[in-house]
Short mmCIF file of all heavy atoms in Angstrom, two decimals:
data_model
loop_
_atom_site.label_atom_id
_atom_site.label_comp_id
_atom_site.label_asym_id
_atom_site.label_seq_id
_atom_site.Cartn_x
_atom_site.Cartn_y
_atom_site.Cartn_z
N VAL A 42 98.43 146.73 115.05
CA VAL A 42 99.26 145.66 115.69
C VAL A 42 99.18 146.03 117.24
O VAL A 42 99.64 147.03 117.64
CB VAL A 42 100.71 145.69 115.18
CG1 VAL A 42 101.49 144.65 115.90
CG2 VAL A 42 100.72 145.34 113.67
N ALA A 43 98.71 145.09 117.99
CA ALA A 43 98.61 145.24 119.42
C ALA A 43 99.66 144.49 120.19
O ALA A 43 100.06 143.32 119.77
CB ALA A 43 97.23 144.82 119.88
N LYS A 44 100.11 145.09 121.29
CA LYS A 44 101.11 144.41 122.08
C LYS A 44 100.40 143.63 123.17
O LYS A 44 99.59 144.17 123.88
CB LYS A 44 102.08 145.50 122.69
CG LYS A 44 103.22 144.87 123.46
CD LYS A 44 104.20 145.93 123.83
CE LYS A 44 103.83 146.58 125.08
NZ LYS A 44 104.74 147.50 125.68
N VAL A 45 100.80 142.46 123.47
CA VAL A 45 100.24 141.70 124.61
C VAL A 45 100.99 142.12 125.88
O VAL A 45 102.19 141.87 126.03
CB VAL A 45 100.37 140.17 124.38
CG1 VAL A 45 99.87 139.36 125.56
CG2 VAL A 45 99.71 139.75 123.09
N THR A 46 100.20 142.77 126.76
CA THR A 46 100.78 143.17 128.05
C THR A 46 100.59 142.10 129.14
O THR A 46 101.38 142.17 130.12
CB THR A 46 100.29 144.52 128.44
OG1 THR A 46 98.87 144.50 128.60
CG2 THR A 46 100.63 145.65 127.40
N ASP A 47 99.60 141.36 129.06
CA ASP A 47 99.31 140.29 130.04
C ASP A 47 98.55 139.19 129.37
O ASP A 47 97.74 139.47 128.52
CB ASP A 47 98.53 140.89 131.23
CG ASP A 47 98.48 139.96 132.39
OD1 ASP A 47 99.31 138.97 132.45
OD2 ASP A 47 97.73 140.21 133.32
N PHE A 48 98.84 137.95 129.85
CA PHE A 48 98.14 136.83 129.30
C PHE A 48 98.08 135.74 130.34
O PHE A 48 99.09 135.53 131.01
CB PHE A 48 98.83 136.26 128.08
CG PHE A 48 98.26 135.05 127.47
CD1 PHE A 48 97.27 135.18 126.45
CD2 PHE A 48 98.67 133.83 127.77
CE1 PHE A 48 96.65 134.14 125.99
CE2 PHE A 48 98.11 132.66 127.25
CZ PHE A 48 97.12 132.84 126.27
N ASP A 49 96.86 135.18 130.52
CA ASP A 49 96.77 134.21 131.58
C ASP A 49 95.67 133.20 131.17
O ASP A 49 94.63 133.57 130.60
CB ASP A 49 96.31 134.79 132.93
CG ASP A 49 96.46 133.76 134.11
OD1 ASP A 49 97.25 132.87 133.95
OD2 ASP A 49 95.88 134.06 135.14
N VAL A 50 95.90 131.94 131.41
CA VAL A 50 94.98 130.85 131.17
C VAL A 50 94.75 130.18 132.50
O VAL A 50 95.72 129.77 133.21
CB VAL A 50 95.46 129.89 130.08
CG1 VAL A 50 94.48 128.68 129.95
CG2 VAL A 50 95.68 130.52 128.79
N GLY A 59 90.79 131.96 129.84
CA GLY A 59 91.73 132.94 130.25
C GLY A 59 91.45 134.35 129.69
O GLY A 59 90.35 134.63 129.35
N TYR A 60 92.47 135.11 129.72
CA TYR A 60 92.30 136.49 129.27
C TYR A 60 93.58 136.92 128.65
O TYR A 60 94.65 136.44 128.85
CB TYR A 60 91.83 137.44 130.29
CG TYR A 60 92.86 137.65 131.40
CD1 TYR A 60 93.82 138.68 131.30
CD2 TYR A 60 92.94 136.85 132.49
CE1 TYR A 60 94.77 138.90 132.27
CE2 TYR A 60 93.87 137.01 133.46
CZ TYR A 60 94.76 138.08 133.38
OH TYR A 60 95.74 138.32 134.33
N VAL A 61 93.47 138.00 127.71
CA VAL A 61 94.64 138.62 127.19
C VAL A 61 94.37 140.11 127.33
O VAL A 61 93.31 140.66 127.13
CB VAL A 61 94.86 138.16 125.75
CG1 VAL A 61 93.76 138.61 124.84
CG2 VAL A 61 96.16 138.77 125.24
N VAL A 62 95.48 140.84 127.67
CA VAL A 62 95.37 142.31 127.79
C VAL A 62 96.14 142.87 126.49
O VAL A 62 97.38 142.63 126.42
CB VAL A 62 95.97 142.89 129.05
CG1 VAL A 62 95.79 144.38 129.09
CG2 VAL A 62 95.13 142.27 130.27
N LEU A 63 95.44 143.58 125.72
CA LEU A 63 96.03 144.15 124.49
C LEU A 63 96.23 145.66 124.61
O LEU A 63 95.38 146.31 125.20
CB LEU A 63 95.17 143.81 123.23
CG LEU A 63 94.97 142.35 122.90
CD1 LEU A 63 94.02 142.27 121.79
CD2 LEU A 63 96.24 141.62 122.68
N GLN A 64 97.37 146.15 124.12
CA GLN A 64 97.62 147.58 124.14
C GLN A 64 97.97 148.00 122.70
O GLN A 64 98.88 147.39 122.13
CB GLN A 64 98.77 147.89 125.16
CG GLN A 64 99.12 149.34 125.21
CD GLN A 64 100.21 149.58 126.22
OE1 GLN A 64 100.97 148.68 126.60
NE2 GLN A 64 100.29 150.80 126.72
N PHE A 65 97.38 149.12 122.19
CA PHE A 65 97.66 149.63 120.95
C PHE A 65 97.28 151.03 120.90
O PHE A 65 96.64 151.60 121.81
CB PHE A 65 96.94 148.80 119.82
CG PHE A 65 95.47 148.84 119.91
CD1 PHE A 65 94.72 149.81 119.08
CD2 PHE A 65 94.77 148.08 120.72
CE1 PHE A 65 93.39 149.88 119.16
CE2 PHE A 65 93.42 148.12 120.84
CZ PHE A 65 92.68 148.99 120.07
N THR A 72 96.39 155.91 123.59
CA THR A 72 96.67 154.48 123.78
C THR A 72 95.59 153.78 124.43
O THR A 72 94.98 154.24 125.41
CB THR A 72 97.93 154.35 124.63
OG1 THR A 72 99.11 154.99 124.00
CG2 THR A 72 98.24 152.85 124.88
N ILE A 73 95.17 152.63 123.81
CA ILE A 73 94.05 151.86 124.36
C ILE A 73 94.66 150.53 124.93
O ILE A 73 95.43 149.83 124.28
CB ILE A 73 93.03 151.54 123.21
CG1 ILE A 73 92.40 152.91 122.80
CG2 ILE A 73 91.89 150.63 123.73
CD1 ILE A 73 91.43 152.65 121.59
N GLU A 74 94.19 150.21 126.09
CA GLU A 74 94.57 148.95 126.73
C GLU A 74 93.26 148.27 127.16
O GLU A 74 92.55 148.83 127.93
CB GLU A 74 95.51 149.12 127.89
CG GLU A 74 96.06 147.86 128.51
CD GLU A 74 97.09 148.18 129.50
OE1 GLU A 74 97.06 149.14 130.22
OE2 GLU A 74 98.01 147.30 129.59
N GLN A 75 93.00 147.16 126.65
CA GLN A 75 91.76 146.38 126.92
C GLN A 75 92.05 144.95 127.22
O GLN A 75 92.81 144.34 126.49
CB GLN A 75 90.76 146.61 125.78
CG GLN A 75 89.40 146.15 126.06
CD GLN A 75 88.38 146.59 124.95
OE1 GLN A 75 88.73 147.36 124.12
NE2 GLN A 75 87.15 146.08 125.11
N GLN A 76 91.21 144.40 128.21
CA GLN A 76 91.35 143.02 128.51
C GLN A 76 90.20 142.31 127.83
O GLN A 76 89.05 142.70 127.88
CB GLN A 76 91.18 142.79 130.01
CG GLN A 76 91.25 141.40 130.48
CD GLN A 76 91.17 141.21 131.90
OE1 GLN A 76 91.73 142.02 132.70
NE2 GLN A 76 90.53 140.23 132.45
N LEU A 77 90.55 141.19 127.15
CA LEU A 77 89.54 140.39 126.47
C LEU A 77 89.57 139.00 126.96
O LEU A 77 90.64 138.40 127.27
CB LEU A 77 89.91 140.29 124.96
CG LEU A 77 90.07 141.58 124.07
CD1 LEU A 77 90.59 141.29 122.71
CD2 LEU A 77 88.74 142.27 124.08
N SER A 78 88.47 138.46 127.31
CA SER A 78 88.37 137.08 127.79
C SER A 78 88.49 136.15 126.70
O SER A 78 88.05 136.39 125.48
CB SER A 78 87.07 136.86 128.61
OG SER A 78 86.02 137.04 127.74
N LEU A 79 89.10 135.05 126.91
CA LEU A 79 89.35 133.96 125.84
C LEU A 79 88.97 132.57 126.27
O LEU A 79 89.51 132.18 127.34
CB LEU A 79 90.87 133.97 125.45
CG LEU A 79 91.50 135.26 124.93
CD1 LEU A 79 93.01 135.11 124.82
CD2 LEU A 79 90.90 135.59 123.59
N ALA A 84 92.71 130.92 123.13
CA ALA A 84 94.03 131.12 123.81
C ALA A 84 95.14 130.29 123.26
O ALA A 84 96.24 130.78 123.05
CB ALA A 84 93.89 130.86 125.28
N ILE A 87 96.83 132.08 120.20
CA ILE A 87 97.73 133.29 120.33
C ILE A 87 98.58 133.17 121.56
O ILE A 87 99.23 134.20 122.02
CB ILE A 87 96.84 134.57 120.54
CG1 ILE A 87 95.92 134.52 121.77
CG2 ILE A 87 95.96 134.75 119.30
CD1 ILE A 87 95.17 135.75 122.09
N MET A 88 98.78 131.98 122.12
CA MET A 88 99.46 131.72 123.42
C MET A 88 100.92 132.29 123.33
O MET A 88 101.31 132.90 124.26
CB MET A 88 99.45 130.25 123.70
CG MET A 88 100.01 130.00 125.13
SD MET A 88 99.76 128.20 125.49
CE MET A 88 97.93 128.15 125.76
N SER A 90 102.27 134.49 121.17
CA SER A 90 102.45 135.68 120.50
C SER A 90 102.69 136.94 121.39
O SER A 90 101.92 137.05 122.41
CB SER A 90 101.26 136.01 119.56
OG SER A 90 100.97 134.95 118.67
N GLU A 91 103.57 137.80 121.06
CA GLU A 91 103.77 139.03 121.83
C GLU A 91 103.11 140.14 121.11
O GLU A 91 102.81 141.21 121.74
CB GLU A 91 105.26 139.23 122.07
CG GLU A 91 105.95 138.27 123.01
CD GLU A 91 107.34 138.55 123.24
OE1 GLU A 91 107.74 139.70 123.07
OE2 GLU A 91 108.08 137.63 123.64
N ILE A 92 103.01 140.05 119.81
CA ILE A 92 102.40 141.09 118.99
C ILE A 92 101.31 140.37 118.19
O ILE A 92 101.53 139.42 117.52
CB ILE A 92 103.40 141.73 118.07
CG1 ILE A 92 104.43 142.47 118.94
CG2 ILE A 92 102.70 142.71 117.13
CD1 ILE A 92 105.55 143.14 118.11
N ILE A 93 100.11 140.96 118.25
CA ILE A 93 98.89 140.34 117.63
C ILE A 93 98.27 141.36 116.67
O ILE A 93 97.97 142.52 117.06
CB ILE A 93 97.91 139.97 118.65
CG1 ILE A 93 98.49 138.90 119.54
CG2 ILE A 93 96.60 139.38 118.04
CD1 ILE A 93 97.63 138.53 120.78
N ILE A 95 95.22 143.02 114.94
CA ILE A 95 93.86 143.13 115.26
C ILE A 95 93.16 144.13 114.30
O ILE A 95 93.75 144.87 113.54
CB ILE A 95 93.62 143.70 116.80
CG1 ILE A 95 94.24 145.07 116.83
CG2 ILE A 95 94.22 142.78 117.81
CD1 ILE A 95 93.79 145.82 118.20
N ILE A 105 87.00 145.19 119.28
CA ILE A 105 88.31 144.55 118.99
C ILE A 105 88.17 143.15 118.40
O ILE A 105 87.43 142.31 119.10
CB ILE A 105 89.29 144.55 120.14
CG1 ILE A 105 89.62 145.92 120.53
CG2 ILE A 105 90.59 143.82 119.77
CD1 ILE A 105 90.44 146.07 121.80
N ILE A 107 90.51 139.97 117.05
CA ILE A 107 91.81 139.44 116.88
C ILE A 107 91.86 138.68 115.52
O ILE A 107 91.06 137.77 115.34
CB ILE A 107 92.27 138.55 118.02
CG1 ILE A 107 92.28 139.42 119.34
CG2 ILE A 107 93.63 137.89 117.76
CD1 ILE A 107 92.51 138.49 120.53
#
Side-chain angles (χ1 to χ4, degrees):
V42 176
K44 185 173 89 173
V45 176
T46 58
D47 193 13
F48 179 85
D49 191 21
V50 176
Y60 67 90
V61 63
V62 179
L63 300 176
Q64 182 180 20
F65 62 99
T72 300
I73 295 176
E74 186 170 33
Q75 190 168 353
Q76 178 176 326
L77 304 173
S78 60
L79 299 171
I87 62 169
M88 189 174 288
S90 304
E91 291 183 23
I92 297 175
I93 298 175
I95 63 167
I105 297 175
I107 300 172

